[in-house]
Amino acid sequence: MSERRIDRFPLGARVRLADLTVDPYPIFAELREAEPVTWVPEIGRWFLTRRDDVLAVLRDPHLFTTDAPSTIRDMFGAHMMTTEGPTQIRYKRKCLPPFHASRLETASLPPLTAEVERMAEALQSGGQRAGEVRTGLARPVALHSVLSVLGIPLSETGRVNEWYEHFARSLANFAGDPDVRRTGKGAADAFGRALEPILEELEREPDGSLLSDLVCDHVDPLTAEEIRSNALIILFGGIETTESMIANAVWALLSHPEQCTPARSSETSLDLAIEETLRWEPAVQSAARHATRDTEIRGVRISKGEVVHCMLGAANRDPAHFHDPDRFDATRRNAGDHLSFAVGRHFCLGAPLARLETRIVLETLWSRCPGLRLDPDRPGAPHGYEFRKPKTLWVRWVG
Ligand code: HEM
């Protein structure tokens, strides 16, 4: 079977994750044009690169589901991302309120702004007008924000970082190393144990955080196990993704210095510019779905159980929807039509928070660091196959 597929999908057969890691966009362009539904033998999965196809798959949870065995379910248990139907809707509905933009603006904006200012101050170490934005700002902002919204004390940051490293290794454990899996599951269990006293405290003294809402909920409440699994996916979903989104946004805008002034001209312009950074260099490159039965996409037969990767970065540069799609244009009117947070039932829960964090970081950097620019002596650009971000992002400023 895979022999025939190699002949039928010659471009897919040539796709190498190592090449996607460096620069996926020319490869996506070729696939989108000539083999929009293709089989990639290196990972034994389908790739979709046209926006219409990606939309159709993500909007059809009956035919293309997340409710199937996966490492993320093995690691965290059943949560909103690996369930469908009423169970998923129940989980998501319970977790949504603290992520509403209006609640974030009132509850999270003032403390987060103060915290980002403090972090931006610390960026400039040793009196030098230079700093590394990804680990120095993007990562701590992402961690601080998601912990605060969840209601996990910031004193847990060190342990959360440790657990996170184990999860990340387990999720990339494609070779199925049992030790890596054991360590990842051990970290998820340790998180569960650490959560118990936090939940007890929040039940005694509710603080308006998500965990506090969940533990004080008495109408069809989530069980302790359901709270743990959903808290894990929110925590895991909110760290590396947002760190990458912030770093990619800073990088994209500073790589186009002529576009920074228009982007800064109003809050609306900045929000639009952030959408364009999301379109042009999305932190998360694909959303995977399992076919629930034999089906066809563009006349290509997909068998029940096979995995289809909706390539979000490819959909975002589909010329059928975006004019001159490879061009970064901070004023692009339809930039917000990107699929970087996916679409449908599994649309990203944290999108409003991630957008808010990115806006605060950009505003803070621009106001505190006059003449902000990329450091020409220490260049870094996004790379990665599943998550894209720069390894380091050095900037300089004056004054
Ligand atoms: C505060 C930050 C974030 C949190 C708490 C968060 C959390 C989540 C959660 C819980 C889901 C599952 C939703 C569901 O299944 O119903 C999700 C989905 C998703 N998130 Fe986020 N996320 C964050 C930031 C981001 C960022 C910055 C990106 C990329 C730019 C991103 C991309 C996605 C995508 C593509 C999905 C859909 C995955 C799929 O359908 O297979 N997320 N997110």
Side-chain angles (χ1 to χ4, degrees):
M1 143 111 68
S2 53
E3 272 309 306
R4 285 208 317 272
R5 282 187 179 169
I6 287 170
D7 295 338
R8 179 144 182 230
F9 305 106
L11 291 180
R14 291 214 306 269
V15 169
R16 296 282 169 272
L17 298 191
D19 297 330
L20 293 178
T21 299
V22 179
D23 183 3
Y25 301 110
I27 301 168
F28 289 158
E30 229 186 331
L31 292 175
R32 213 172 31 230
E33 175 69 28
E35 257 173 54
V37 182
T38 196
W39 176 252
V40 177
E42 186 176 351
I43 53 167
R45 292 171 171 211
W46 295 99
F47 270 22
L48 302 184
T49 45
R50 285 197 189 163
R51 186 171 182 277
D52 283 354
D53 295 337
V54 167
L55 280 173
V57 165
L58 293 180
R59 284 179 175 154
D60 190 348
H62 298 292
L63 195 48
F64 295 101
T65 184
T66 64
D67 188 358
S70 65
T71 325
I72 200 155
R73 187 150 89 181
D74 177 41
M75 201 65 46
F76 298 164
H79 47 74
M80 68 182 87
M81 197 151 153
T82 55
T83 50
E84 300 283 5
T87 307
Q88 192 258 352
I89 292 171
R90 174 168 167 262
Y91 291 163
K92 199 156 189 178
R93 198 171 282 156
K94 299 255 181 214
C95 295
L96 256 173
F99 287 96
H100 275 143
S102 55
R103 186 152 153 193
L104 288 173
E105 290 278 342
T106 41
S108 307
L109 181 61
L112 187 56
T113 306
E115 191 55 31
V116 174
E117 297 229 336
R118 194 188 59 71
M119 289 175 189
E121 192 74 32
L123 198 61
Q124 135 184 330
S125 57
Q128 293 208 335
R129 303 286 185 255
E132 201 282 299
V133 169
R134 186 175 76 75
T135 53
L137 197 56
R139 173 77 175 221
V141 169
L143 248 173
H144 177 100
S145 309
V146 76
L147 288 178
S148 306
V149 172
L150 271 164
I152 296 176
L154 298 172
S155 54
E156 293 288 356
T157 304
R159 282 211 288 177
V160 167
N161 255 324
E162 254 173 57
W163 294 325
Y164 182 83
E165 295 308 327
H166 291 309
F167 299 148
R169 231 172 294 141
S170 303
L171 293 170
N173 180 23
F174 301 115
D177 181 333
D179 285 340
V180 176
R181 176 175 179 267
R182 207 171 11 254
T183 321
K185 282 187 84 70
D189 291 342
F191 174 80
R193 285 193 297 277
L195 207 54
E196 284 168 21
I198 297 172
L199 294 178
E200 283 167 17
E201 174 67 23
L202 289 171
E203 198 169 10
R204 271 194 305 274
E205 281 198 42
D207 66 356
S209 64
L210 171 59
L211 290 175
S212 153
D213 282 6
L214 293 179
V215 84
C216 297
D217 177 14
H218 298 299
V219 184
D220 185 24
L222 298 187
T223 63
E225 184 56 30
E226 288 172 322
I227 294 181
R228 184 197 77 114
S229 296
N230 282 289
L232 272 166
I233 188 61
I234 292 170
L235 189 61
F236 183 76
I239 301 177
E240 184 167 359
T241 50
T242 315
E243 168 188 342
S244 310
M245 172 178 165
I246 295 171
N248 292 354
V250 173
W251 175 79
L253 279 158
L254 296 188
S255 318
H256 299 86
E258 76 291 352
Q259 301 200 32
C260 290
T261 307
R264 293 175 66 182
S265 63
S266 70
E267 208 171 280
T268 319
S269 313
L270 182 53
D271 287 342
L272 189 62
I274 291 173
E275 295 310 300
E276 177 66 350
T277 68
L278 277 164
R279 182 195 72 84
W280 197 63
E281 193 57 277
V284 178
Q285 286 282 320
S286 78
R289 295 294 184 268
H290 299 247
T292 57
R293 57 175 162 80
D294 291 353
T295 185
E296 279 192 2
I297 307 175
R298 270 185 208 282
V300 174
R301 193 189 150 91
I302 312 281
S303 301
K304 178 178 174 176
E306 286 187 327
V307 179
V308 174
H309 273 265
C310 297
M311 305 310 289
L312 307 174
N316 285 353
R317 295 194 186 205
D318 190 334
H321 193 83
F322 297 103
H323 173 70
D324 197 2
D326 290 328
R327 199 173 101 77
F328 177 77
D329 174 4
T331 62
R332 185 185 291 274
R333 288 257 162 259
N334 67 349
D337 292 351
H338 64 74
L339 305 183
S340 303
F341 292 121
V343 286
R345 296 262 172 83
H346 293 282
F347 179 80
C348 176
L349 178 84
L353 178 60
R355 285 177 164 128
L356 182 70
E357 290 174 46
T358 308
R359 169 145 62 82
I360 296 174
V361 166
L362 283 165
E363 283 173 345
T364 308
L365 279 176
W366 273 325
S367 71
R368 295 214 146 232
C369 308
L372 185 73
R373 65 189 197 285
L374 292 175
D375 186 339
D377 298 332
R378 290 178 279 196
H383 87 296
Y385 148 61
E386 250 189 312
F387 295 120
R388 280 182 75 72
K389 61 170 185 268
K391 255 194 192 129
T392 56
L393 182 59
W394 285 93
V395 294
R396 282 190 196 170
W397 60 96
V398 292

